[in-house]
Each structure stands twice: as structure tokens, then as C-alpha cells.
Amino acid sequence: MTAVNDAKGRGSLGTVRNAVLLLELLGQGPAYQQLTDLAERSGMSVPTVHRLLRSLVLADLVHQDPRSSRYSLGPELTRLSHRYLSRHPLLAALTPYLPGLPALVGGTVSVQMLVRGETVYADHADGPDSGPYRDSHRVHPALHTAGGRLIAARGGEEIWQQALQSCGPQTAQLADGARQDWAGADWLAAEGPDPVHAGEVAVPVVDATGATVAALSAAVEDPADGSACAAVAAHLTKAARAAGRALGNG
């Protein structure tokens, strides 16, 4: 996210923009961060950052460790995120289909949403591949995931540029050359975005206006196995289209 200097940050809108920037910076890097580091990274003065952080702490949007005086994201964000997801029409539309999908595709099924150039795994149903670990909080650069590639490639130029900025130059170069193919694909397979996940297949979720609002993905052992991935994609597509029709009736 681009730093906002103090001159541009005057007024109520600028204050909100600067507060959002600090929350974004606290979501990157180490869990607890120093005031001076946040000021340097944001481009704002130390007094301005300190004043904003005090307000965010009072709202529980930011937490200050009493021993180190460093700052982290606050617990209120958890409550707000759960409130948001519990009311999200997309997740409501997909809820009837998620529980039965893992048995059909043989892997964990996830709902991927695009937020500020990153793929957020907003919901999932565990399959036999889930293992003994917990995996409920996943956020990755959009173009590192099959679902993120589908959503970003089908979106407008602003969405695409955000996706490019969230990844490294090598991935961005690959993505620019593949965007047209990704945008026209019925499904995509890709290697997992982290060492724990071998690969995934994703299909788009399209609403009544024709906009790709999310992706439905399933974990697969070999994303290069075209036949197996196509079979998984067929099951996912049925659920995605049914959810899309439900969104159209909302």
C-alpha cells in the first residue's frame, strides 16, 4: 500500500485513510512492531502515528504490548471479520454445497475471495487430505493461487494491478503473459501457495451480473494431472454455478 504523508492526511477522510494504512502495515511483517518503524514505513511523522495508534488501541483495533510498548493488530478485528463473513451473501450461497464436496473431490474444498490483491481463504470444508494441523487462516498473494489468478484475470485493470503489486517481479512477469488465458479458462490448476499444500484446482463463482466474485478450489496431489484436475473441476463447477444462481436471486 502506498504511504500517505501528513499533508495528504489532513481532514477526516485523510485520518481514516492513514488509520487504515497503519492497520495494513501491522498486518505485514512481525506480529509486534515499533512506533518508529511504523512511522518510517507509512511516511507519517512519529506524533501523527502515535496519535492514530492511541485511538486504534482505545477501539481495540490495535493492541499495545505493555512490556515492549510495541503494537499489533487488535482483537476487535476478529469480531468484525466474523460478523462480516456471517452476513456475506456469497458464503451463504455456497454453504449448502461445501459439506458434501470433499467426499466427491477427495480433498479439502475452500472458498477464495480477492481482497486488495491477495487471496483470502474465507471458508473451507476439510477433506481426507487435511491432516492433523489447523488451517483456518490463509492469505496469499493472489497470483500465487489458482483461484486468485482466475478472479484477478477476469477483473478490471485496477484489480489486476493490485494483484501484480502483491507478488514478486518473476510471478508478475509470468502473470502478464498468461492473463488472457487465465481469464478465458473454465478452471485452473496450480501448485500450492505454500509447502504444506501440494496443489489446487479452482473454478470461478460468477454472479448474476457476470462478475467473477470468488473462486471455489479443491486440494489435489498433482496439479499437472489434467484428467484428474478436470474431474475435480467438474464437481466444483456444479456447486459454483448453483451458488451463482442463488446470488442472482438475492
Side-chain angles (χ1 to χ4, degrees):
M1 181 180 288
T2 303
V4 179
N5 62 33
D6 290 348
K8 292 182 179 179
R10 298 193 183 105
S12 58
L13 180 59
T15 299
V16 172
R17 186 183 300 115
N18 289 343
V20 171
L21 173 58
L22 290 177
L23 292 173
E24 179 74 18
L25 293 175
L26 285 168
Q28 305 167 1
Y32 284 87
Q33 301 183 38
Q34 292 181 341
L35 170 65
T36 52
D37 290 340
L38 290 168
E40 181 179 355
R41 292 167 62 204
S42 67
M44 292 183 278
S45 67
V46 170
T48 297
V49 172
H50 186 244
R51 174 175 53 81
L52 289 170
L53 287 172
R54 278 207 319 263
S55 297
L56 292 169
V57 168
L58 289 174
D60 280 337
L61 294 169
V62 167
H63 171 71
Q64 184 178 22
D65 182 78
R67 293 171 296 181
S68 68
S69 296
R70 297 190 178 195
Y71 296 88
S72 70
L73 293 177
E76 178 66 7
L77 293 169
T78 302
R79 187 180 71 87
L80 290 175
S81 68
H82 282 289
R83 292 272 189 176
Y84 170 72
L85 293 174
S86 69
R87 291 165 168 78
H88 203 292
L90 167 69
L91 299 183
L94 283 167
T95 292
Y97 309 101
L98 277 182
L101 279 173
L104 293 174
V105 302
T108 296
V109 175
S110 302
V111 181
Q112 299 183 16
M113 300 168 62
L114 202 61
V115 181
R116 290 179 178 263
E118 294 184 314
T119 302
V120 177
Y121 288 70
D123 200 359
H124 71 280
D126 286 332
D129 61 319
S130 59
Y133 55 87
R134 294 286 295 162
D135 190 27
S136 56
H137 312 296
R138 293 177 64 194
V139 179
H140 296 286
L143 302 180
H144 292 187
T145 70
R149 291 174 181 179
L150 278 173
I151 305 169
R154 290 163 167 248
E157 191 59 28
E158 182 179 355
I159 291 174
W160 180 250
Q161 290 302 321
Q162 285 182 335
L164 289 177
Q165 291 170 13
S166 75
C167 65
Q170 186 174 357
T171 301
Q173 184 177 9
L174 165 69
D176 263 335
R179 182 182 182 184
Q180 187 173 355
D181 291 337
W182 291 349
D186 293 326
W187 58 271
L188 287 178
E191 293 183 358
D194 54 58
V196 173
H197 303 88
E200 64 182 14
V201 175
V203 304
V205 179
V206 181
D207 68 10
T209 69
T212 300
V213 294
L216 196 59
S217 69
V220 293
E221 292 185 4
D222 183 6
D225 186 341
S227 297
C229 289
V232 169
H235 290 295
L236 296 177
T237 298
K238 290 180 182 179
R241 288 177 176 170
R245 289 193 294 269
L247 285 172
N249 294 328

